Amino acid sequence: MSDIAERVGRILDDPENWPSDPREAVALQRRKAALVREERLDAASVRTIAGLDVSYAKDDTALAAAAVVVDVATLEVVESVAIDSEVSFPYISGLFSFRELPPVLKALGRLRTTPDVYLCDGFGLAHPRRFGVASHLGVLLDLPVVGSAKSVLYGRHSVPGDERGSWTPMVAGRSEIVPDSAALAADGAEVIGRVLRTRTGVKPVYVSVGHRVDLEGAADLVLRLSPRYRVPEPVRHADRLCGEHRKETLAARRAHGE
DNA sequence: GCGACAG
DNA sequence: ATCTTGTCGC
C-alpha cells in the first residue's frame, strides 16, 4: 500500500472530517480555511498531475469517482483508476467538497503513482469562505492542489480577451461581472482566482489556488494542460472515465437483478 | 426577505 | 451533475 493510501484511509475513517450537518460543515470550513498555504509552483517543474472528478446519477442511486494521472510534458495518461461509492452528503452549493471528497479520496487511495500536483474540477480560494474543494483536499492531504472550475460561484471579474491565454483576475465579492477587475486588484482588492481563456473564442475557465501552489503557477499549469480543449486534459479524462464507470456499474447491477 | 448558487 | 435529439459550424 502506498503512503498516500495509508493517509487517505485515516482521513476517511476520522468522523471529525465528515460532518452530516451543513451547519457543522460550514464551521469546519471556517476553521480549516486558516490552514491553506500558498507556495510558489514552477509549472515547468511539474512532471505528473492527477485530474479528479465525480459522476452522479440524477436520482443519487449511483456514484463513481476517477483519478487520472497525466504526464504534463506529453499529456499522455500515466495511470487511471475509477471506483464506485455512495452518496453521503447532499449537494449544497458552497459545501460541495463534503459530497465529492469521500469518493475522490477513495480513488486516490487506489493510485500506485504519486503525482506531483492534483487538479480538482471546482474552486479553491475562489469560495465564499476561501475553502472550496481544491483547498479542502489540499489541506487534508497537505499536498499541492489546483482548482479549475467551469462556472462561477463567488467573485467579481471582468471578461478576458478572446485569445487563448488572455485572463483577468477574480477578486473577492458576490459573483458579478465588472468593467475592470484588474483595476480593483491594483487598488488592493483581494485576488481569489483568475478567469483564463484556454481556447480562443470559447468560454473561459476559472482557476484558483487550492493549497501549496500560487495563482501564477496554477494558471500556467492549467493553460499547458489545455492545448486543445477548454477543460484541462487530466480533468477531462477523469470526467469521461467516471461517467463510463458509473454506467458500467449500473449495468452490472441490473444484470444481477437489482 | 430576496436572489444566487462550483458539481 | 444528469436526462436527451437534433443541429449548427469548422
Side-chain angles (χ1 to χ4, degrees):
Chain A
M1 179 157 61
S2 75
D3 175 47
I4 297 285
E6 214 169 296
R7 293 161 63 188
V8 159
R10 282 197 294 271
I11 291 165
L12 286 171
D13 288 344
D14 185 351
E16 295 290 304
N17 288 326
W18 312 110
S20 52
D21 170 29
R23 206 190 54 75
E24 290 172 28
V26 168
L28 184 152
Q29 290 184 323
R30 293 194 198 285
R31 244 178 14 249
K32 294 216 171 189
L35 302 177
V36 174
R37 304 199 306 281
E38 238 170 292
E39 288 175 11
R40 180 161 190 280
L41 174 75
D42 180 7
S45 73
V46 178
R47 305 291 186 133
T48 58
I49 180 156
L52 309 169
D53 199 19
V54 177
S55 168
Y56 309 91
K58 77 168 182 184
D59 53 2
D60 276 359
T61 53
L63 184 162
V68 178
V69 182
V70 166
D71 184 307
V72 178
T74 64
L75 296 184
E76 300 277 304
V77 173
V78 174
E79 185 189 358
S80 57
V81 298
I83 57 95
D84 48 49
S85 182
E86 269 90 53
V87 171
S88 60
F89 199 88
Y91 174 72
I92 300 171
S93 175
L95 299 178
F96 177 50
S97 60
F98 294 94
R99 180 177 175 86
E100 292 236 337
L101 285 186
V104 161
L105 286 162
K106 186 176 172 186
L108 287 180
R110 302 278 171 86
L111 230 41
R112 312 191 308 108
T113 318
T114 302
D116 297 323
V117 177
Y118 298 82
L119 182 60
C120 285
D121 189 16
F123 295 108
L125 293 179
H127 176 279
R129 291 170 292 279
R130 313 297 185 273
F131 203 68
V133 63
S135 296
H136 196 164
L137 179 65
V139 166
L140 284 172
L141 293 174
D142 195 24
L143 289 171
V145 184
V146 171
S148 171
K150 301 184 292 295
S151 66
V152 180
L153 167 65
Y154 171 82
R156 314 170 70 194
H157 68 86
S158 45
V159 179
D162 218 45
E163 294 297 306
R164 164 176 156 85
S166 297
W167 59 272
T168 56
M170 301 175 74
V171 302
R174 194 208 66 190
S175 172
E176 182 188 13
I177 294 187
V178 297
D180 191 354
S181 59
L184 297 175
D187 284 346
E190 180 191 3
V191 175
I192 58 173
R194 188 175 286 194
V195 185
L196 176 64
R197 192 82 70 178
T198 52
R199 295 279 291 157
T200 298
V202 175
K203 179 181 159 74
V205 298
Y206 305 86
V207 180
S208 57
V209 168
H211 186 56
R212 294 183 62 174
V213 299
D214 61 4
L215 185 54
E216 196 66 41
D220 190 352
L221 197 53
V222 167
L223 191 59
R224 283 168 189 263
L225 293 168
S226 314
R228 35 191 298 175
Y229 301 102
R230 175 170 86 111
V231 172
E233 304 238 357
V235 168
R236 207 171 157 276
H237 285 307
D239 177 76
R240 178 185 47 70
L241 183 59
C242 63
E244 287 171 2
H245 191 265
R246 181 175 58 79
K247 284 161 192 161
E248 283 167 14
T249 302
L250 215 51
R253 283 180 187 169
R254 295 187 65 184
H256 284 255
E258 295 179 46

